[in-house]
Amino acid sequence: MFNLNKYKVMTIFSRLFGKRPAVATVHEQPAVVEAPVIDRALFIEEAAPEPRRSREETLTILEELKSRDYERMGKEDGYEFKDFSRMDLQLELIAADFREAYDKELAKVSYQLSELEAVLEERLRETIPGIYRELETKYKSLKAKERELLLQKDLAVTGEGYVERAMKYYRAGFEAGLGVRLKGDLMFKHISVV
């Protein structure tokens, strides 16, 4: 009976206050808090950023020539062409590349020297001796670089100097590649491919 009264009580309350809503299991979603939108302009510099330079742009032509793998180039040419005249031609081209690189470097150095010569005056020495000494030191180092480049350019004609190393590596690689090719040809000469 106890349960029955409870049922009646519920019925009385339901009549007074309306029907009780059906009990449903409600799974509450965690509240999603949206972050405030931050203006990107706060983090962007107004000055244009300097473009990044790739490794190729930072190397001078001469440095790029020195960094090539001449031995690998020689091996590939020796294996492919089997001709010493090809090696001689390639050695001449290597020397010509170095001479051209020396010419370009000399042009840059002579331009910098002409700019410094225009600035280095007696009046600058008297008014700002510290800056004059710095510029004079730079001028002397550029003159030394100019002499070195002229010497290396002359040596490149005869295959000496910086170009000598490249030529030796190319020649050694060419001979190694040619040797591999000739050994392969001798080993497989008697085998016919169908």
Side-chain angles (χ1 to χ4, degrees):
M1 181 123 152
F2 181 72
N3 286 339
L4 185 61
N5 287 336
K6 188 175 184 184
Y7 177 73
K8 287 183 182 180
V9 172
M10 291 295 264
T11 308
I12 293 172
F13 280 110
S14 64
R15 286 184 188 164
L16 289 174
F17 299 110
K19 290 198 174 207
R20 184 175 178 187
V23 178
T25 56
V26 178
H27 297 291
E28 291 186 27
Q29 296 291 333
V32 177
V33 179
E34 291 188 28
V37 179
I38 300 172
D39 187 17
R40 285 186 58 194
L42 294 173
F43 299 102
I44 297 176
E45 293 182 21
E46 290 184 21
E50 291 187 24
R52 286 188 168 177
R53 294 182 179 181
S54 64
R55 184 174 187 270
E56 292 81 23
E57 291 176 1
T58 58
L59 287 179
T60 63
I61 298 169
L62 188 57
E63 290 169 338
E64 192 270 326
L65 283 173
K66 288 180 184 178
S67 67
R68 286 185 184 169
D69 188 2
Y70 290 101
E71 186 174 12
R72 181 191 52 80
M73 291 168 55
K75 281 181 184 177
E76 290 173 357
D77 288 349
Y79 186 81
E80 185 175 343
F81 297 110
K82 304 187 304 184
D83 186 12
F84 283 105
S85 63
R86 171 69 179 197
M87 180 184 75
D88 294 336
L89 175 67
Q90 191 63 31
L91 290 174
E92 288 176 20
L93 289 174
I94 290 171
D97 286 344
F98 270 86
R99 286 192 305 271
E100 182 180 355
Y102 292 136
D103 284 338
K104 288 182 180 182
E105 288 295 315
L106 280 167
K108 287 179 188 178
V109 168
S110 66
Y111 178 74
Q112 292 172 346
L113 284 172
S114 65
E115 285 184 333
L116 283 174
E117 287 170 351
V119 174
L120 288 174
E121 297 176 350
E122 191 62 35
R123 186 173 178 192
L124 180 65
R125 180 190 300 207
E126 293 169 358
T127 55
I128 312 172
I131 292 179
Y132 182 85
R133 282 192 299 274
E134 288 178 24
L135 293 176
E136 188 178 36
T137 304
K138 172 103 173 150
Y139 181 81
K140 288 177 182 177
S141 68
L142 284 172
K143 278 303 238 187
K145 185 176 180 179
E146 182 183 42
R147 284 190 298 273
E148 177 66 24
L149 287 170
L150 287 170
L151 175 67
Q152 289 298 325
K153 182 180 174 186
D154 291 341
L155 290 174
V157 174
T158 60
E160 298 174 7
Y162 291 144
V163 73
E164 180 179 14
R165 182 174 187 254
M167 293 175 93
K168 283 184 178 180
Y169 276 113
Y170 182 84
R171 187 176 286 119
F174 190 92
E175 291 170 0
L178 181 61
V180 169
R181 177 65 183 258
L182 293 176
K183 284 179 187 176
D185 288 350
L186 289 175
M187 285 176 55
F188 298 109
K189 185 176 182 179
H190 64 282
I191 298 174
S192 62
V193 178
V194 179

